[in-house]
Amino acid sequence: MIVSSAFAAKRYAVLGLARSGLTAVETLLASGAHVMAWDSREEPRQAFCARRHEESIELADPVTADLTGYDGLVVSPGVPLNTHPIAEAARRYGVPVIGDIELFALARESLPAHRVVGITGTNGKSTTTSLVHHLLESVGVPTRVGGNIGVPVLGEDPLPEGGVYVLELSSYQIDLTRSLDCDVAALLNITPDHLDRYDGFAAYAASKARLFAMQAADRPAVFGTGDRETADIAEAEEARRAPGAVRRVDGSDLAALQQDWPSLQGPHNLQNAAVAVAIVEALGISAAQWQPALRTFSGLPHRMERVAEAGGVLYINDSKATNPASTAPALAAYPPSPAPRIHWILGGLPKGDNLDECVPFFGNVAAAYTIGDAGARFAEILAPYTEVHRSEMMAEAIREAMTRAVPGDVIMLSPACASFDQFRDYEARGLAFRQIVEALLESQGLESQGSDAEGMKH
């Protein structure tokens, strides 16, 4: 794990003992800090009860404890600071509320010489983060992903000198970070999301903008071009930085190459790739190095994942699309050729009662198969535009789609909904899709040809 003298002899409270919180506790203890730890769940508290004999550990709830003299209150990004009493407790004692990314920022002086990339945005940041990691790794740069993807950044050994930490950062993580000066920072896009945690859309956008406010003015910043809010932040950063430090990219210069990237199809992935390329170029990677690496990127599990291709039909697992804004780019990735060719499986626990972001791409849909709690409402929305089947369950939706799909078509799970009505999480939903597809193909004697599935299985 990462340890740092920056924490020695200091006092921190940690609220939330899941992955990032537990890792923060261990980092702080190993660095010589005193730690007050707490979780609302009994099981993680019990693990610390056995360690009460250690003088550096205290098991207490920081909401009600005396925090006088504490240097920081480390909370999970999942804690809603706008409603949770911990925010008032921190204000009462004048203790900064931070997260594990801020601990990493404070520890950086203790690490071998390195660089940090920070990537944020409402959609596409996991793909872009993984792609940057892949491009760096392909040319031999020591690199690691962290933040909102993979394992907590504090949990693994430091990179050797010359390494690059590539951090996917949610707005919640940025809210808990005060001093992360990224060597390169990027913003893909901003669309309404998580508004239950913010005082309106403008406040959510302002959270994203803080990533750049923490950067020194001579550092490079990269921006997508798809929305006004992102453009506004780019303009503000251009005003305070040297000419050329800010790059706005739309991917138009890469469009001719995209046909060679099997896991990066669609206009959204062209934008993701353009941002990733701009980031690695800012780190000194040349076009001769990144171009061949784009062809070998295998994509993310559950995000436009090619799980099978059989009988001329492509099967796509996009279970990670948990809202209509995430699903819209997936629909855009497969335009008619010449007839509509997407057999769209959608539904689950809805985050709203419309599919407005997807409307521009309804013409790409040959048929829709609705499932879950949102099934009836989505069927009603789609009925004027395409053939609709109220399948209710995923297995039935896949069976129905397979009977109607013809060579050249795409059967795609892109739910535009959360998974919790029928599945534990989007990963379990995507795994079920993959397993059902494989079982049905096998039962029909069809063999999958060339997919990402083998490399993506957990």
Side-chain angles (χ1 to χ4, degrees):
M1 73 179 71
I2 290 175
V3 298
S4 173
S5 59
F7 309 127
K10 293 188 175 180
R11 300 171 72 82
Y12 289 89
V14 178
L15 177 63
L17 300 176
R19 289 195 311 167
S20 64
L22 189 60
T23 304
V25 169
E26 298 299 346
T27 284
L28 291 168
L29 291 174
S31 300
H34 174 89
V35 177
M36 175 192 295
W38 189 256
D39 195 290
S40 60
R41 297 166 299 150
E42 180 69 23
E43 184 178 351
R45 290 203 306 269
Q46 287 298 324
F48 278 89
C49 284
R51 300 175 60 177
R52 277 181 165 173
H53 65 281
E54 299 178 38
E55 293 184 2
S56 55
I57 298 178
E58 176 183 357
L59 190 64
D61 186 350
V63 170
T64 56
D66 184 350
L67 297 178
T68 302
Y70 274 72
D71 295 280
L73 174 54
V74 183
V75 303
S76 162
V79 174
L81 296 181
N82 58 332
T83 59
H84 198 284
I86 194 63
E88 175 55 33
R91 281 192 293 269
R92 187 162 61 246
Y93 290 96
V95 179
V97 181
I98 61 175
D100 68 319
I101 300 300
E102 176 62 13
L103 293 179
F104 170 73
L106 295 172
R108 290 185 65 187
E109 289 189 6
S110 303
L111 302 178
H114 64 278
R115 290 177 290 180
V116 171
V117 172
I119 299 169
T120 193
T122 305
N123 295 305
K125 53 187 181 291
S126 293
T127 296
T128 305
T129 299
S130 298
L131 180 55
V132 170
H133 176 263
H134 172 75
L135 297 179
L136 292 171
E137 194 171 50
S138 69
V139 297
V141 175
T143 181
R144 183 168 298 138
V145 296
N148 203 42
I149 188 174
V151 300
V153 67
L154 297 172
E156 295 196 30
D157 291 337
L159 289 170
E161 184 172 345
V164 178
Y165 297 89
V166 187
L167 305 181
E168 176 191 326
L169 300 172
S170 70
S171 59
Y172 300 164
Q173 289 170 313
I174 296 170
D175 292 341
L176 298 170
T177 306
R178 295 169 173 239
S179 60
L180 181 67
D181 183 4
C182 294
D183 294 88
V184 186
L187 172 60
L188 290 154
N189 48 59
I190 305 177
T191 59
D193 202 8
H194 306 307
L195 298 187
D196 58 324
R197 291 276 293 263
Y198 295 97
D199 186 17
F201 184 35
Y204 171 61
S207 173
K208 299 291 190 185
R210 288 192 61 256
L211 179 62
F212 303 91
M214 288 186 283
Q215 262 193 307
D218 60 345
R219 305 281 201 193
V222 181
F223 295 90
T225 59
D227 59 89
R228 183 68 255 171
E229 288 72 22
T230 298
D232 288 345
I233 297 171
E235 289 172 8
E237 292 304 315
E238 284 172 337
R240 79 176 187 95
R241 300 186 191 226
V246 170
R247 283 189 64 180
R248 304 194 204 195
V249 295
D250 63 5
S252 57
D253 57 332
L254 301 178
L257 304 175
Q258 191 180 19
Q259 62 182 355
D260 298 325
W261 313 332
S263 296
L264 290 167
Q265 293 301 294
H268 65 303
N269 274 326
L270 183 61
Q271 175 81 90
N272 295 339
V275 171
V277 165
I279 289 169
V280 299
E281 287 185 340
L283 296 171
I285 307 302
S286 69
Q289 294 172 302
W290 59 251
Q291 282 188 6
L294 282 170
R295 293 193 290 270
T296 59
F297 180 62
S298 60
L300 293 176
H302 314 298
R303 188 56 173 142
M304 295 293 287
E305 176 190 0
R306 298 160 58 98
V307 300
E309 185 171 5
V313 176
L314 182 62
Y315 295 79
I316 298 291
N317 167 22
D318 194 39
S319 182
K320 200 171 189 292
T322 58
N323 57 58
S326 294
T327 288
L331 297 178
Y334 298 97
S337 179
R341 57 194 178 116
I342 297 175
H343 294 261
W344 181 20
I345 300 171
L346 74 158
L349 190 65
K351 294 184 175 181
D353 66 349
N354 63 68
L355 292 167
D356 289 356
E357 292 91 343
C358 300
V359 170
F361 310 108
F362 283 174
N364 296 355
V365 178
Y369 309 80
T370 62
I371 62 174
D373 287 1
R377 173 59 181 152
F378 285 178
E380 179 184 348
I381 293 171
L382 289 165
Y385 300 94
T386 190
E387 178 184 331
V388 178
H389 304 271
R390 298 192 182 191
S391 305
E392 303 299 336
M393 305 301 290
M394 186 189 295
E396 181 60 24
I398 297 171
R399 284 193 198 95
E400 290 182 320
M402 290 177 72
T403 64
R404 291 171 174 81
V406 299
D409 283 359
V410 179
I411 295 177
M412 180 164 63
L413 169 69
S414 191
C417 283
S419 59
F420 308 124
D421 58 336
Q422 295 181 344
F423 300 94
R424 181 185 70 249
D425 51 31
Y426 76 82
E427 293 173 324
R429 178 171 61 188
L431 181 60
F433 176 80
R434 182 189 302 147
Q435 291 173 336
I436 293 167
V437 166
E438 290 172 350
L440 290 175
L441 290 177
E442 183 177 357
S443 70
Q444 296 177 19
L446 295 174
E447 184 176 347
S448 176
Q449 302 170 353
S451 76
D452 297 340
E454 286 305 312
M456 292 297 181
K457 289 181 180 177
H458 298 314

